[in-house]
Amino acid sequence: MKDVMLMLGFGFGLVTGALLYKYSQGTQDLVNQGEKKIMKEAKKLEKKAEQGMEELESKVKKGVKKAEQKIKQSKPKS
């Protein structure tokens, strides 16, 4: 019974939210502003992640080069 009531409350909440968004200009503005802020922050995080990946890639390439040089140096000459 609890599950039924939970689903019923969830459904009413969805319907109420949809009706508020559809008929209330203030609610539409509030939701749209929130969405814009979230997208702005997501783009900032994406840029930071890209920069971090570029830095990591350059560090990995340097590490691989150093490892290759050490391997070449440690090989006995025939």
Side-chain angles (χ1 to χ4, degrees):
M1 190 67 180
K2 287 182 185 178
D3 294 339
V4 173
M5 296 303 276
L6 180 69
M7 293 301 291
L8 193 60
F10 184 73
F12 281 139
L14 282 174
V15 170
T16 304
L19 290 173
L20 271 173
Y21 183 78
K22 184 175 182 180
Y23 294 111
S24 173
Q25 187 62 39
T27 304
Q28 284 180 359
D29 293 341
L30 184 67
V31 170
N32 291 338
Q33 287 176 359
E35 183 181 10
K36 286 178 186 176
K37 286 181 183 179
I38 289 171
M39 291 304 294
K40 192 175 183 180
E41 289 298 317
K43 287 180 182 180
K44 285 181 185 177
L45 289 173
E46 181 182 11
K47 286 180 184 179
K48 285 182 182 179
E50 286 176 358
Q51 289 174 351
M53 290 300 292
E54 289 171 358
E55 290 175 10
L56 182 62
E57 183 180 3
S58 66
K59 288 180 182 180
V60 167
K61 285 181 181 179
K62 287 179 185 177
V64 168
K65 285 181 183 179
K66 285 182 182 179
E68 287 175 346
Q69 289 175 352
K70 287 189 178 189
I71 290 171
K72 285 181 184 177
Q73 290 174 355
S74 66
K75 283 187 180 177
K77 293 182 182 180
S78 301

